[in-house]
């Protein structure tokens, strides 16, 4: 009561803690548009406090066991939607089989936020400036979705549609994200450019490459903070496939970015500058990939 | 130069010792008493509907639904409050010709910036009040918006205040010596145009106020997170027509202030009125988003400046034009022109030249007000001067240290007058330059820089000399008609147990004022510090004084405490002398014991004197009236300001591909006169430097073409954070002022004064081999990459 009188800024809402997936889906189906799932709350709660969102019902999904845990399933690592950002740093299976997520995690916000924010929440929100959604693209991950009409798996490539818009339909939940297991013939790199550590980046990039000897057999490169969605740069990828990573190739990949990216207008980072930064970052990361042999 | 030994330098003196702040543990333990936490019985909560427009006419306000909402007690508009509150105008007489429109708690017919509070709701909880805000409808009619400083000055353009001839608030000019002649005969002239962004204070605790009007007694009590309770007592009394003695302002613990919490805010004035209308306590705490659009902002200058030098690198003259935009009003009661005024008066201050000309133009625009914030004007004057000095050095092939050593006023040449007319008692630029050179290992840094440049790593080294204004006399505000005191008062009592209670008018915002006052009292009386209790910030209890602004707590408040303590000590020794049948001059007090002054032999504890005086006065000689409470006031005399000086240096690395800057190390040599508590002085310097570094690289309030603040959240407005801050190396030179016994000057703003100038010089030093220059603060990646033509 004490706090409520001075500190509560959100509009009043009801709260329901779901014990099972069915309960959560059910509650949402009954409440319709006026309900939101809440996981770590690290994006939703600020939005409520600012009254940017004012749902009537919050459905807490953090007690649903099915959404939890990291384990191997065949050729994939199944990462439960409730896996917290801090677990990306501490969970040995992630370090071993999804090292790109492990490498990106320290760049996600600050420890207090990483202690609560969830992988599923981050991917569901699909903030184009967020690290993890972009990395699901580089990892060729699959997003498992449960909804009133059953379950399905959507490739990350098909998941991100537009600004904060995904393949998720109203009332659907992400249950887990499936990441192909990292292999010995693969290399990865991640970095971002930010004015302060922990901030959303000016530009960020992660990549996963499969090598055949010294040549790149396959590579997936994904950017954050370059447009309305996390962005794969297929043109740049194409310049690298079947090639050795020398200075000339790196320059070619950098050159291709212009066709891949159309950064938005911004008073702080004009499009041409963001493209420049994307090139610089690509050069540095490919350089590291080359050295990582 | 180091302070000569005096009685303050006794081996067991508290003065000059790093004793911890007595209140630090209490605050860390969560026992602070912040206004934000305060709850009074029957208290209500205010929330404000804010203008979405930067400039618009208020056509109609419909409040019916909000009034009807359960739990809402009052919905008040500008018209409602104008009936009980007289308007205020942010002008002062000594700024000749300045204008500003009258202000009311809430606007009566026009909004003049986006975010201005328009309607107040008072309800049983903040949440209910905010719900009710959503039920209020305001019809606005857009008016032309004045955003850009250049556009604001165009003849025939849109006006912030219709009816005025233009958007000018104030113009001022200085012209000393023979400037034109000096430029005409100069061997070298350097010239640059600079811009300085707007930024804001960002305190940990936002503005907070609880106003409690008691109609039965006709008294107003305001719990207010402010630096200056007496100023607000006076203002609430006068604008709400309540006798001053019936207005009490209590400013207990405050979560940061930095100058931001000494101005009149519309919401705060409104909350007082709301409490009067309701006869109940009303609370308002600004949230972070509200703070961004309603706390004062600072800086926002465009400066064109040039400097003339002779063939040997001697500075001959400066010619400066400062344009600054201050929002829609000049702030009350200190105005918004003090910063510009200090900019043009602090230019060139460390140097010997005499020919100086400056013009200042202060402009209105449709943004939130700017006003005094830590290091008022100093960072601008320092950056402009020091950058020009570096440009001149480069032109002449001189090292930055060498050109400064050649031009600073020599340490033995004081008293001196600055090119702009400020009178300096004694400064120590030469000693500071020499010391900085040593602590930076300047030659080593230069060698390392040269080595790294060959490998494509671009390090920069920058230095900046500065002068800071402290211990202001009435010349600052009083002469302009402001009821802002430059004196302080203290009331000291010896308690019946032989401890001391000190009520003093300076206030504490986390800088350790209470700690240094207790050190001074303990030292001067001869008592352990834990036996001194210092009480601040309550107009009903503490005597009237200036409180906290402009670096005055140690210099003026400290001297007040020193003189008051000496008076109390005399009174104690008088009683002791009667009891011991001694002459008072033969006695002293050490560690709470009256001792023989010559032998230091213990005679009796002061607790015994207190016991006798309070409980057994019958045993004292007839006619004796022990005076164990003294009150004392001290107003600065002599020089109108105690100027301090120092020099900062920094080393940083510029990533020339990304424009990102990494601060590697920062250095300062500072002379604040007598250092009372080295730890607190160092922390003031560090905190100040960090704020200056924030301004240099990160902080900026950015506006859209329509006058909307586009980065008004902590996600978008970047404050300096620990990961980006360098280690800060500190050294001191001590030149006490002779105007006081204590000899202390201020130190709170020194760090901020020169940190951004230092970074500006270092970045330019890094970029010099690449032919790029930067003349704008904050130095963003975009500015660096633009200068390097990277995109
Ligand atoms: C100060 C600050 C800095 C931050 N910095 C960064 C940063 O640098 N990089 C970064 O990536 N993020 C950053 N974040 C955001 C943070 O990572 C969030 O935690 C994350 O984006 C959302 O995860 P969550 O679990 O907190 O989701 P919530 O806030 O609980 O929910 C977010 C949205 O996702 C929906 N949702 C949540 N879980 C699911 C699910 N399983 N299925 C379907 N929908 C779901 C919710 O309904 C809601 O709409 C920052 C946050 C803060 C407060």
């Amino acid at each position: 009561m004490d706090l409520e009188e001075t500190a509560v800024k959100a509009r009043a809402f009801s709260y329901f803690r779901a014990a099972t997936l069915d309960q959560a889906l059910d509650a949402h189906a009954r409440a319709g548009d006026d309900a939101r799932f809440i996981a770590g709350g690290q994006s939703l709660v600020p939005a409520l406090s600012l009254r940017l969102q004012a749902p009537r019902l919050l459905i807490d999904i953090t007690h649903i066991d099915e959404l939890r845990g990291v384990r191997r399933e065949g050729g994939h690592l199944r990462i439960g939607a409730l896996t917290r950002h801090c677990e990306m740093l501490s969970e040995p299976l992630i370090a071993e089989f999804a090292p790109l997520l492990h490498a990106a995690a320290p760049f996600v916000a600050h420890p207090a936020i990483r202690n609560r924010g969830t992988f599923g929440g981050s991917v569901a929100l699909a903030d184009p400036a967020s690290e993890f959604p972009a990395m699901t693209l580089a990892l060729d991950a699959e997003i498992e979705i449960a909804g009133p009409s059953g379950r399905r798996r959507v490739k990350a490539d098909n998941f991100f549609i537009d600004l904060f818009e995904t393949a998720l339909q109203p009332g659907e939940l992400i249950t887990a994200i499936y990441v192909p297991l990292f292999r010995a013939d693969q290399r990865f790199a991640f970095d971002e450019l930010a004015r302060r550590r922990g901030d959303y980046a000016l530009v960020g990039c992660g990549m996963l490459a499969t090598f055949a000897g010294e040549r790149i057999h396959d590579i997936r490169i994904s950017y954050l903070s370059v447009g309305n969605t996390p962005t794969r740069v297929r043109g740049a990828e194409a310049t690298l496939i079947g090639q050795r990573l020398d200075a000339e190739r790196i320059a070619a990949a950098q050159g291709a970015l212009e066709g891949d990216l159309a950064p938005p207008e911004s008073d702080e980072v004009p499009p041409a500058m963001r493209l420049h930064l994307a090139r610089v970052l690509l050069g540095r990361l490919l350089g590291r990939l080359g050295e990582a042999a | 130069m180091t302070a000569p030994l005096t009685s303050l330098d006794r081996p067991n003196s508290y003065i000059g010792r790093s004793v911890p702040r007595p209140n630090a543990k209490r605050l860390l333990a969560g026992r602070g008493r912040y206004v934000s936490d305060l709850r009074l019985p029957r208290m209500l909560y205010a929330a404000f509907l804010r203008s979405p427009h930067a400039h618009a006419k208020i056509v109609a306000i419909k409040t019916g639904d909000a009034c009807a909402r359960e739990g809402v007690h009052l919905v008040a508009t500008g018209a409602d409050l104008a009936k009980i509150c007289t308007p205020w105008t942010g002008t002062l007489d000594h700024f000749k010709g300045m204008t500003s429109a009258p202000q009311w708690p809430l606007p009566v017919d026009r909004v003049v910036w986006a975010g201005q509070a328009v309607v107040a709701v008072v309800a049983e909880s903040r949440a209910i009040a905010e719900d009710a805000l959503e039920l209020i409808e305001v019809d606005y009619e857009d008016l032309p918006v004045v955003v850009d400083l250049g556009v604001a000055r165009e003849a025939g353009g849109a006006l912030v205040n219709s009816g005025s001839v233009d958007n000018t608030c104030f113009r001022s000019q200085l012209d000393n010596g023979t400037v034109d002649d000096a430029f005409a005969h100069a061997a070298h002239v350097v010239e640059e145009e600079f811009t300085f962004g707007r930024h804001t204070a960002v305190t940990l605790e936002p503005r907070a106020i609880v106003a409690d009007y008691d109609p039965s007694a006709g008294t107003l009590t305001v719990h207010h997170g402010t630096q200056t309770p007496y100023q607000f007592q006076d203002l609430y009394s006068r604008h709400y027509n309540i006798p001053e003695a019936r207005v009490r302002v209590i400013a207990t613990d405050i979560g940061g202030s930095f100058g931001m919490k000494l101005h009149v805010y519309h919401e705060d004035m409104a909350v007082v009125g709301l409490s009067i209308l309701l006869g109940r306590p009303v609370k308002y705490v600004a949230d972070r988003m509200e703070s961004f659009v309603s706390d004062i902002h600072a800086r926002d200058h465009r400066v064109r400046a040039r400097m003339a030098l002779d063939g040997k690198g001697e500075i001959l003259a400066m010619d400066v034009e400062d344009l600054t935009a201050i929002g829609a009003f000049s702030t009350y009661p200190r105005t918004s022109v003090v910063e510009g005024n200090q900019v043009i008066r602090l230019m060139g201050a460390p140097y010997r030249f005499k020919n100086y000309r400056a013009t200042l133009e202060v402009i209105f625009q449709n943004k939130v007000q700017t006003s005094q914030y830590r290091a008022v004007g100093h960072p601008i004057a320092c950056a402009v001067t020091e950058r020009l000095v570096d440009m001149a050095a480069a032109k002449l092939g001189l090292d930055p240290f060498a050109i400064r050593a050649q031009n600073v006023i020599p340490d033995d040449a004081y008293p001196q007058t600055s090119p702009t007319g400020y009178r300096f008692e004694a400064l120590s630029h030469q000693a500071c330059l020499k010391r900085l050179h040593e602590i930076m290992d300047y030659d080593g840094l230069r060698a390392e820089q040269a080595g790294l440049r060959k490998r494509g790593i671009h390090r920069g080294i920058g230095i900046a000399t500065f002068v800071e204004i402290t211990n202001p006399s009435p010349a600052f505000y009083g002469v302009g008609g402001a009821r802002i005191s430059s004196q302080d008062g203290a009331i000291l009592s010896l308690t019946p147990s032989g401890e001391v209670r000190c009520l003093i008018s300076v206030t504490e915002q986390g800088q350790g004022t209470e700690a240094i006052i207790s050190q001074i009292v303990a030292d001067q009386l001869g008592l352990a510090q834990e036996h001194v209790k210092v009480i601040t910030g309550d107009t009903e209890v503490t005597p009237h004084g200036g409180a906290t602004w402009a670096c005055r707590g140690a210099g003026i408040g400290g001297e007040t405490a020193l003189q008051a303590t000496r008076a109390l000590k005399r009174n104690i020794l008088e009683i002791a002398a009667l009891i011991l049948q001694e002459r008072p001059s033969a006695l002293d007090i050490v560690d709470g014991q009256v001792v023989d002054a010559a032998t230091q032999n213990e005679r009796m504890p002061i607790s015994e004197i207190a016991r006798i005086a309070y409980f057994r006065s019958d045993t004292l000689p007839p006619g004796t009236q022990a005076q164990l409470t003294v009150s004392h006031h001290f107003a600065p005399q002599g020089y109108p300001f105690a100027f301090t000086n120092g020099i900062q240096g920094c080393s940083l690395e510029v990533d020339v591909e990304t424009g990102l800057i990494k601060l590697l190390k920062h250095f300062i040599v500072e002379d604040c006169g007598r250092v009372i508590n080295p730890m607190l002085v160092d922390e003031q310097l560090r905190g100040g430097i960090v704020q200056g570094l924030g301004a240099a690289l990160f902080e900026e309030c950015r506006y859209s073409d329509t006058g909307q603040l586009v980065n008004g959240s902590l996600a978008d407005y970047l404050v300096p954070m620990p990961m980006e801050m360098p280690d800060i190396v500190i050294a001191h030179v001590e030149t006490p002022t002779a105007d006081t016994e204590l000899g202390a000057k201020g130190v709170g703003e020194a760090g901020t004064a020169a940190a951004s100038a230092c970074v500006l010089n270092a970045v330019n030093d890094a970029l010099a081999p690449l032919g790029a220059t930067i003349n704008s603060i904050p130095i963003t990646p975009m500015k660096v990459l633009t200068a390097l033509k990277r995109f």
Side-chain angles (χ1 to χ4, degrees):
Chain A
M1 195 56 193
D2 270 33
L3 273 179
E4 266 172 38
E5 290 190 356
T6 50
V8 169
K9 312 273 296 163
R11 215 179 293 156
F13 51 79
S14 308
Y15 170 87
F16 172 67
R17 179 191 284 174
T20 65
L21 190 57
D22 285 345
Q23 274 185 9
L25 296 174
D26 225 50
H28 202 291
R30 273 187 280 117
D33 273 359
D34 258 352
R36 290 282 179 292
F37 298 120
I38 179 162
Q42 296 305 294
S43 295
L44 187 55
V45 172
L48 296 179
S49 296
L50 295 168
R51 297 196 173 204
L52 296 172
Q53 293 192 32
R56 263 182 222 284
L57 173 66
L58 289 191
I59 304 166
D60 185 345
I61 60 171
T62 56
H63 289 75
I64 304 175
D65 281 341
E66 200 182 322
L67 307 188
R68 226 180 269 290
V70 180
R71 61 173 185 267
R72 285 178 70 164
E73 263 189 39
H76 285 88
L77 196 63
R78 180 195 186 272
I79 305 175
L82 290 176
T83 305
R84 288 172 294 143
H85 302 340
C86 59
E87 294 173 86
M88 295 290 186
L89 290 164
S90 62
E91 170 58 55
L93 285 173
I94 291 188
E96 187 176 354
F97 294 114
L100 182 57
L101 293 176
H102 182 78
F107 294 88
V108 181
H110 306 276
I113 294 149
R114 293 200 291 265
N115 286 341
R116 283 192 161 268
T118 67
F119 190 32
S122 180
V123 173
L125 186 67
D127 186 328
S130 271
E131 287 77 6
F132 292 140
M135 292 314 97
T136 63
L137 284 177
L139 290 166
D140 197 14
E142 284 177 38
I143 290 117
E144 184 184 68
I145 297 170
S149 48
R151 298 202 182 212
R152 63 205 166 97
R153 268 159 83 154
V154 178
K155 285 245 179 212
D157 277 332
N158 302 321
F159 184 78
F160 302 104
I161 295 170
D162 206 338
L163 190 62
F164 298 115
E165 191 187 335
T166 66
L168 279 175
Q169 296 300 310
E172 286 188 327
L173 265 177
I174 296 178
T175 46
I177 288 131
Y178 287 80
V179 176
L181 298 178
F182 185 68
R183 301 193 313 260
D185 58 353
Q186 291 185 315
R187 298 180 204 169
F188 68 93
F190 179 90
D191 207 348
E192 64 180 43
L193 303 172
R195 290 174 66 186
R196 299 179 311 179
R197 181 80 191 203
D199 280 351
Y200 288 108
L202 303 172
V203 172
C205 178
M207 54 184 63
L208 181 72
T210 308
F211 279 78
E214 274 313 294
R215 285 179 194 279
I216 293 179
H217 173 70
D218 190 21
I219 187 165
R220 296 172 67 96
I221 304 173
S222 176
Y223 275 89
L224 47 128
S225 292
V226 291
N228 282 347
T229 59
T231 308
R232 247 184 94 186
V233 289
R234 292 168 196 269
E237 290 171 5
T239 63
L240 295 164
I241 291 180
Q243 307 288 335
R244 280 175 202 282
L245 265 183
D246 53 24
E248 197 186 323
R249 266 304 106 196
I250 292 177
Q254 286 174 309
L257 282 182
E258 193 162 3
D260 288 322
L261 299 177
E265 282 300 333
S266 135
D267 63 336
E268 263 201 307
V269 190
M273 170 173 162
R274 214 182 288 267
L275 186 60
H276 164 79
L277 294 177
R279 282 196 203 104
V280 169
L281 195 54
L282 186 64
R284 290 181 182 178
L285 288 174
L286 288 173
R288 273 187 233 165
L289 214 58
E291 287 161 15
Chain B
M1 191 181 324
T2 299
L5 286 175
T6 68
S7 70
L8 302 176
D9 298 288
R10 290 196 315 265
N12 60 349
S13 170
Y14 275 110
I15 294 181
R17 253 210 272 163
S18 290
V19 293
R21 292 161 44 188
N23 58 10
K25 201 164 163 189
R26 181 172 62 79
L27 297 177
L28 274 178
R31 302 304 296 259
R33 288 154 303 162
Y34 298 96
V35 176
S36 300
D37 299 328
L38 186 68
R39 281 184 75 190
L40 298 179
R42 302 181 68 241
M43 188 167 82
L44 298 171
Y45 299 83
F48 292 90
L49 186 69
R50 294 178 182 278
S51 166
H53 304 278
H55 196 191
K57 199 170 153 226
I58 301 171
V59 179
I61 301 178
K62 291 173 209 133
T63 61
D65 291 351
C67 295
R69 175 98 164 63
E70 203 187 321
V72 170
H73 285 246
L74 179 67
V75 179
T77 64
D80 299 328
L81 288 166
K83 287 182 198 139
I84 56 167
C85 181
T86 56
W88 58 89
T89 306
T91 56
L92 285 173
D93 302 341
H94 60 318
F95 298 121
K96 298 246 172 334
M98 83 168 287
T99 63
S100 182
Q103 303 177 55
W104 282 269
L106 298 174
V108 179
D109 54 4
R110 208 161 52 96
V111 292
V112 287
W113 83 86
Q116 183 177 8
V118 180
V119 186
V121 173
V122 186
E124 268 153 33
S125 74
R126 174 74 177 247
I128 294 172
E130 294 203 3
D131 286 347
L133 292 182
E134 296 184 348
L135 304 174
I136 298 171
E137 278 176 52
V138 183
D139 292 341
Y140 294 100
E141 194 176 293
D142 273 323
L143 293 168
V145 180
V146 181
V147 180
D148 179 72
L149 175 54
V151 175
R153 295 174 71 230
E154 279 168 13
L159 292 172
V160 173
N161 294 299
S162 56
S164 52
V165 271
D166 57 24
N167 289 315
T168 307
C169 166
F170 179 58
R171 278 203 184 88
S172 178
Q173 224 162 359
L174 291 173
D175 201 346
N176 295 332
T178 51
V179 173
D180 287 328
D181 194 53
F183 275 94
H185 296 100
H188 302 281
V189 173
V190 284
E191 178 165 4
E192 182 64 283
E193 196 173 333
F194 301 87
T195 59
F196 299 88
R198 258 183 179 242
H199 53 95
T200 187
V202 195
T203 53
L204 268 183
E205 184 196 21
R207 286 190 287 120
I209 186 167
V210 175
D212 183 6
Y213 182 71
D214 176 352
S216 64
T219 55
L220 172 72
T221 305
V222 183
H223 304 263
H224 193 171
T226 176
Q227 312 171 216
T228 48
Y230 314 96
Q231 171 195 300
F232 282 102
Q233 178 190 29
D234 174 70
L235 294 173
Y236 295 146
S237 157
R238 284 189 297 123
H239 288 281
Y240 281 105
N241 196 23
I242 304 169
E244 187 176 52
R246 289 174 191 265
V247 178
R248 176 181 188 182
V249 177
I250 304 171
T252 49
D253 293 321
I254 298 169
S257 191
F258 312 114
M260 186 273 282
K261 292 178 185 167
L262 49 70
H263 310 288
V264 167
Y265 290 95
H266 300 93
E267 297 89 344
D268 298 354
M269 271 295 206
V271 164
V272 170
L274 296 170
S275 176
I276 292 171
L277 290 174
L278 287 160
R280 288 178 68 165
V282 177
K283 177 174 191 171
Y284 170 69
V285 180
D287 68 25
R288 185 34 61 206
M289 315 299 280
E290 292 182 290
S291 297
F292 272 114
V293 295
S294 62
D295 289 358
I296 56 120
H297 293 177
R299 321 302 185 220
D300 203 355
H301 294 258
R302 276 183 211 173
V303 182
R304 172 179 283 285
R306 54 190 188 128
M307 181 180 274
L309 298 102
D310 73 11
K312 297 199 206 85
E314 187 78 25
I315 302 171
L316 303 173
M318 272 183 85
D319 184 6
V320 175
E321 188 188 297
D322 179 21
L323 292 177
T324 178
I326 57 162
F329 298 113
S330 167
T331 321
Y332 186 64
R334 289 164 194 258
T335 83
S336 301
V337 307
V338 172
E339 166 138 313
N341 195 51
Q342 288 191 184
V343 167
I344 61 167
R345 282 167 203 275
L346 282 165
M347 288 280 175
Y351 304 109
R352 223 174 19 212
F353 67 95
K354 292 288 174 218
N355 305 307
Y356 180 76
R357 182 165 58 210
T359 59
L360 166 68
E361 207 176 307
V362 182
I363 303 291
F364 292 118
Q365 58 183 168
N366 291 116
K367 295 182 186 172
V368 69
Q369 289 150 292
T370 68
S371 196
Q372 283 77 299
Y373 160 68
R374 197 174 198 169
V376 184
H378 293 67
I380 315 296
C382 180
V384 169
T385 305
E386 293 300 289
R387 176 72 191 122
L388 290 180
V389 169
D390 266 17
M391 288 167 67
K395 208 161 184 178
L396 281 132
L398 290 171
D399 182 85
F401 269 97
I403 191 168
R404 287 173 175 80
Q406 181 183 345
N407 281 285
V408 291
I409 301 170
D411 293 357
D412 60 5
Y414 291 93
Q416 271 280 352
T417 301
S418 83
T420 68
Y422 278 141
R423 282 165 55 217
F424 299 142
E425 179 195 5
L427 301 176
S428 57
H429 293 300
Q430 289 175 318
C432 289
L433 269 168
K434 190 164 166 287
R435 190 86 181 90
L436 183 74
H437 199 280
E438 292 159 11
I439 65 170
M440 279 180 93
D441 181 18
Y442 183 72
D443 298 332
L445 277 182
R446 284 283 177 215
E448 182 187 45
Q449 176 187 43
L452 289 170
R453 259 182 196 158
K454 288 184 198 133
R455 294 167 38 202
I457 294 169
H458 297 271
R459 291 259 170 107
I461 301 161
I463 61 173
T465 311
F466 66 91
V467 164
E468 190 206 335
I469 305 175
T470 80
N471 295 5
S473 71
F476 213 86
Y477 291 113
V479 297
R483 296 168 67 86
I484 295 168
S485 191
S486 59
Q487 64 80 49
D488 277 303
I491 300 170
L492 247 66
S493 299
L494 187 69
T495 70
S497 316
E499 301 181 334
V500 170
R501 198 173 65 233
C502 171
L503 311 170
I504 191 159
S505 56
V506 284
T507 54
E508 164 82 54
Q509 290 80 42
Q511 70 277 62
T513 304
E514 292 178 355
I516 60 154
I517 297 298
S518 68
Q519 280 178 265
I520 293 166
V521 172
D523 186 86
Q524 293 296 299
L525 197 67
L527 200 63
Q529 193 194 4
E530 63 262 30
H531 293 146
V532 178
K533 178 168 188 185
V534 177
I535 295 160
T536 64
D538 182 346
T539 60
E540 199 108 308
V541 174
T542 50
H544 189 96
T548 304
W549 51 274
C551 283
R552 57 186 306 288
I556 301 175
E559 181 71 7
T560 309
L562 178 142
Q563 295 188 4
T565 311
R566 289 185 178 178
L568 179 63
K569 184 175 175 181
R570 277 194 299 276
N571 292 0
I572 294 171
L573 288 181
E574 231 167 68
I575 302 298
L578 285 174
I579 296 168
L580 295 167
Q581 314 244 314
E582 271 285 7
R583 281 172 302 115
S585 61
L587 300 172
D588 198 358
I589 303 173
V590 174
D591 277 343
Q593 298 285 335
V594 175
V595 299
D596 210 278
T599 63
Q600 301 285 299
N601 285 342
E602 284 183 15
R603 301 294 300 270
M604 70 189 297
I606 58 171
S607 59
E608 183 59 10
I609 296 166
R611 188 191 64 81
I612 292 169
Y614 285 116
F615 306 120
R616 292 304 309 273
S617 50
D618 57 316
T619 65
L620 292 172
T624 309
Q625 296 292 351
Q627 298 300 321
L628 299 184
T629 293
V630 302
S631 65
H632 188 83
H633 287 265
F634 170 75
Q637 290 175 353
Y639 283 86
F641 308 100
F643 285 92
T644 73
N645 69 281
I647 180 161
Q648 298 189 24
C650 79
S651 154
L652 52 75
E653 190 169 307
V654 181
D655 182 334
V656 297
E657 287 185 312
T658 64
L660 293 169
I661 293 163
K662 186 168 170 50
L663 301 171
L664 299 170
K665 207 156 194 171
H666 203 93
F667 306 86
I668 181 167
V669 182
E670 210 272 343
D671 184 348
C672 60
R674 170 94 49 206
V675 172
I676 298 163
N677 184 324
M679 175 180 72
L680 292 177
V681 166
D682 287 1
E683 294 319 305
Q684 280 298 303
L685 291 173
R686 287 204 170 86
I689 286 169
V690 165
Q691 266 173 324
L693 296 176
L697 297 184
F698 300 112
E699 299 187 47
E700 184 170 25
C701 300
R702 303 199 321 272
Y703 281 84
S704 72
D705 296 345
T706 56
Q708 303 289 334
L709 181 67
V710 297
N711 63 334
S713 84
L714 280 177
D716 302 306
Y717 180 94
L718 308 185
V719 293
M721 303 257 274
M723 292 295 279
E724 285 68 41
M725 288 302 103
D727 282 349
I728 298 168
V729 182
I730 297 174
H732 300 281
V733 171
E734 281 188 72
T735 311
T737 169
D739 276 351
T740 62
E741 300 269 355
L742 185 60
K745 311 179 199 173
V747 74
E749 303 176 276
T752 311
S756 54
C758 220
V759 170
L760 182 69
N761 277 345
V763 169
N764 278 299
D765 181 55
L767 299 183
L770 304 166
T773 59
I774 297 279
N775 55 6
S776 177
I777 279 172
I779 308 172
T780 61
M782 178 161 93
K783 289 176 189 168
V784 173
L785 292 177
T786 305
L788 287 165
K789 302 191 175 66
R790 293 287 158 135
F791 69 91

